[in-house]
Amino acid sequence: MTATQDKPDTATAPVLRAVDVTKVYGGTQALKGVSLDIVPGRVVVLFGENGAGKSTLMKILSAVESPTTGQVELDGKVVEFGSARDAADRGISIIHQELSLCSNLSIQDNLFLGRERTRGGVLVDRAAERSLATTVLRRLDGALNPDLMVGDLRLGQQQLVEIARALLQDARILIMDEPTSALSAPEVAVLFQVIRELTAEGVAIVYISHHLEEALDIADDVAVLRDGSMVATAAAADVDLAWVVRKMVGRDQDDLFPAREPKLGPVALEIVELSVADPANPDRLAVDGVSLTVRAGETVGIYGLMGSGRTELLECLAGRLHADSGEIRLYGEPVVGTVRRRIQTGLALVPEDRQRDGLVQTMSVGQNLSLAALTGFVRRLFVNRTKERAAVQTMITDVTVKTSGPDAPIGSLSGGNQQKVVIGKALMTGPRVLLLDEPSRGVDVAAKADVFELMARQAERGLAVLFTTSETEEALHIPDRLLVLVRGRLIADLRAGEITRDQLMSLADSADTTEEASQ
């Protein structure tokens, strides 16, 4: 794609190009003659559904994969990288969607893993590493200490460490695959400022995101992949959200949200004055005196940004965190005990981080689906594999997982289909209340529509559905009732259609400001 907007003092010749690139895996053609120009000092945003070929194209540009046909050009010359390290040494850095950090190492050790700074090529220069680590972390998040263990960080902070590691490589071309999927709004604002500073220095950015509006804010140019083909390119100033959605999925955005008339039953879940300490700071309450109800057949959404307490609330309900005070009732009966006990009672959680908390990467699709419900297939100390396999196959069909079969590796699935597996895993336990923490995180527009439709079907079957989201469009369109959570406190309880996007954002911002002023 050739740049169509003028920027002063910025080169217009592409620094990196994909030219008629195809990629074939067995009988599957992942890319079909794709061409893309990446220009210094500009941000090109690459849109597409899961399976459209985005990650495959980025792997080819960063030398993780080689094209079947076609070529890659660097500085106007055809290039064949020997390895991903070779590409990195020549200025191409990539931030992968799934984190690749070592949880048992400190932030500093992760930042320089495999690229240690040395004195004389022998001794690791810890002082130099610390100075560089402190500088880059201050640029992204002044609160992060290089000595902190990565395993102790929340997901958004781990994402910032991944970004910091890429920034330390002094890349000429920086590829960002879903860099904001776990970031709060303030963290996104900081990242966007860093991106603009990098482009001002002549760095070329390729940016992939399922947050469409957010990505358009940072884009100079846009490109859309669908089914392995480049279907559209344009200047960001010439397109809008509706255009992007139509090019991606061939239908309007309004058609992606399920319309339904809920049939409400009795109160299934009741929370009374629940308070939960922040696991990272026990002196602070992550959830502060929250009370709410969810009825059978009802979908209730909790809108909250990072730090609002949304994850801590759901993890407490599921038994993963201890409540400091308050009560949880399921159909009038107190809920107590371990995670396993609560699953048996009828509470099932779909966690925010599906890779870390929802899936076992060494297991197959079927094994992941049946894992939480495995005791239900045990007879006299033996697992009834026939019964288990039949239940797994039924669930694959029910949640519409696109897979070659139950024995397929979980890693062979797209992000959207992996998320369906995590939801299916929860449903196989036979819950009466389904808890979902950011269920659309890291999945594309069409996969989000599938997830929302799946949630709606469960509510129609009589389940009580409680989910969290930081996406305003989801908050406005999906739930029958919307709760707004700010700094651990519920500040609004709204019916569908009672609030606009601007009003919702203003409500959250004003409450946040009021809370800060009172401290």
Side-chain angles (χ1 to χ4, degrees):
M1 181 175 66
T2 303
T4 55
Q5 291 174 288
D6 292 330
K7 271 191 171 182
D9 303 319
T10 299
T12 56
V15 63
L16 187 67
R17 300 184 71 209
V19 182
D20 292 327
V21 168
T22 67
K23 183 64 180 179
V24 178
Y25 297 99
T28 302
Q29 190 168 2
L31 294 175
K32 306 168 185 176
V34 171
S35 296
L36 178 69
D37 290 2
I38 301 167
V39 179
R42 299 184 71 82
V43 179
V44 55
V45 172
L46 187 60
F47 292 114
E49 300 179 66
N50 284 328
K54 304 185 304 296
S55 294
T56 301
L57 179 59
M58 294 306 101
K59 287 177 181 178
I60 288 172
L61 291 176
S62 58
V64 176
E65 300 269 7
S66 298
T68 304
T69 62
Q71 60 193 34
V72 175
E73 297 179 2
L74 181 65
D75 296 321
K77 298 179 181 178
V78 177
V79 63
E80 293 184 8
F81 299 114
S83 64
R85 181 63 180 266
D86 182 21
D89 289 340
R90 298 176 72 171
I92 303 173
S93 181
I94 183 168
I95 300 168
H96 293 284
Q97 177 181 354
E98 305 300 345
L99 302 181
S100 57
L101 302 173
C102 297
S103 60
N104 61 334
L105 297 179
S106 69
I107 292 176
Q108 179 172 321
D109 289 338
N110 270 277
L111 291 179
F112 297 99
L113 187 63
R115 291 183 173 274
E116 291 79 5
R117 300 304 199 265
T118 60
R119 292 194 298 266
V122 178
L123 298 176
V124 175
D125 191 340
R126 298 289 294 177
E129 288 187 350
R130 185 170 187 84
S131 177
L132 290 168
T134 301
T135 300
V136 73
L137 291 173
R138 187 178 294 120
R139 189 177 188 183
L140 292 170
D141 183 343
L144 286 177
N145 185 316
D147 295 328
L148 291 174
M149 299 296 289
V150 163
D152 294 332
L153 304 178
R154 57 180 172 79
L155 186 59
Q157 291 173 320
Q158 292 183 23
Q159 186 77 66
L160 290 175
V161 174
E162 192 82 63
I163 293 168
R165 185 164 63 178
L167 294 179
L168 282 169
Q169 296 182 25
D170 297 323
R172 300 167 59 208
I173 303 105
L174 182 57
I175 299 169
M176 296 181 165
D177 192 354
E178 290 287 345
T180 66
S181 60
L183 301 187
S184 66
E187 289 167 339
V188 171
V190 171
L191 176 61
F192 279 12
Q193 178 60 35
V194 171
I195 289 174
R196 284 308 182 202
E197 291 171 0
L198 291 172
T199 55
E201 296 167 3
V203 177
I205 306 285
V206 183
Y207 189 98
I208 300 173
S209 179
H210 295 314
H211 298 281
L212 306 187
E213 284 186 290
E214 175 188 284
L216 284 175
D217 286 342
I218 196 65
D220 295 311
D221 303 299
V222 298
V224 183
L225 277 171
R226 188 167 72 216
D227 297 328
S229 298
M230 187 68 73
V231 296
T233 60
D238 297 334
V239 305
D240 58 14
L241 182 62
W243 181 92
V244 173
V245 173
R246 283 197 303 273
K247 296 298 182 183
M248 283 179 60
V249 300
R251 50 181 168 155
D252 291 331
Q253 186 181 27
D254 290 344
D255 297 332
L256 300 176
F257 300 111
R260 71 186 198 94
E261 290 294 331
K263 296 179 180 179
L264 303 183
V267 173
L269 176 67
E270 183 179 11
I271 303 170
V272 182
E273 291 295 323
L274 187 70
S275 293
V276 182
D278 185 344
N281 182 9
D283 293 331
R284 170 187 173 272
L285 289 178
V287 179
D288 189 358
V290 167
S291 297
L292 63 87
T293 60
V294 187
R295 298 173 67 180
E298 184 178 31
T299 298
V300 174
I302 297 178
Y303 175 76
L305 303 179
M306 189 72 71
S308 64
R310 61 176 195 254
T311 294
E312 290 83 357
L313 174 59
L314 262 59
E315 290 192 343
C316 178
L317 296 178
R320 298 179 66 175
L321 292 179
H322 174 72
D324 284 14
S325 61
E327 291 184 74
I328 304 168
R329 302 181 189 132
L330 187 63
Y331 285 95
E333 295 295 324
V335 174
V336 294
T338 63
V339 172
R340 180 178 179 181
R341 174 60 183 156
R342 296 189 192 205
I343 290 174
Q344 293 170 341
T345 303
L347 278 172
L349 171 66
V350 175
E352 177 184 24
D353 189 343
R354 62 175 173 269
Q355 297 297 332
R356 185 184 67 184
D357 301 324
L359 299 170
V360 180
Q361 298 298 324
T362 55
M363 287 185 172
S364 68
V365 170
Q367 289 170 326
N368 270 284
L369 277 168
S370 65
L371 186 60
L374 199 58
T375 55
F377 305 110
V378 175
R379 294 292 182 272
R380 297 179 180 177
L381 302 181
F382 293 97
V383 177
N384 186 331
R385 296 298 182 187
T386 301
K387 183 179 179 182
E388 177 194 9
R389 194 169 183 87
V392 163
Q393 189 60 60
T394 298
M395 187 56 66
I396 287 174
T397 302
D398 196 30
V399 300
T400 64
V401 178
K402 295 179 181 177
T403 177
S404 59
D407 297 327
I410 192 66
S412 67
L413 270 58
S414 67
N417 283 296
Q418 288 185 15
Q419 185 71 344
K420 292 177 187 178
V421 170
V422 180
I423 296 173
K425 173 183 171 183
L427 292 176
M428 285 194 69
T429 66
R432 293 186 286 172
V433 176
L434 182 62
L435 311 171
L436 304 103
D437 193 4
E438 290 275 8
S440 68
R441 176 184 171 266
V443 303
D444 63 53
V445 175
K448 285 182 181 182
D450 289 344
V451 169
F452 298 146
E453 178 62 35
L454 177 56
M455 290 165 53
R457 288 205 309 271
Q458 300 312 312
E460 288 169 359
R461 292 172 181 175
L463 266 70
V465 178
L466 178 65
F467 77 99
T468 69
T469 181
S470 57
E471 295 284 332
T472 54
E473 292 302 317
E474 294 177 15
L476 294 172
H477 288 90
I478 302 306
D480 305 315
R481 189 157 52 91
L482 176 64
L483 311 176
V484 181
L485 187 67
V486 176
R487 293 180 179 268
R489 297 178 183 173
L490 283 180
I491 64 169
D493 187 336
L494 306 160
R495 294 289 174 184
E498 286 186 348
I499 192 169
T500 66
R501 181 178 185 275
D502 289 343
Q503 289 171 336
L504 177 59
M505 296 179 69
S506 177
L507 179 63
D509 288 343
S510 63
D512 200 39
T513 302
T514 301
E515 179 69 18
E516 287 179 353
S518 67
Q519 292 181 345

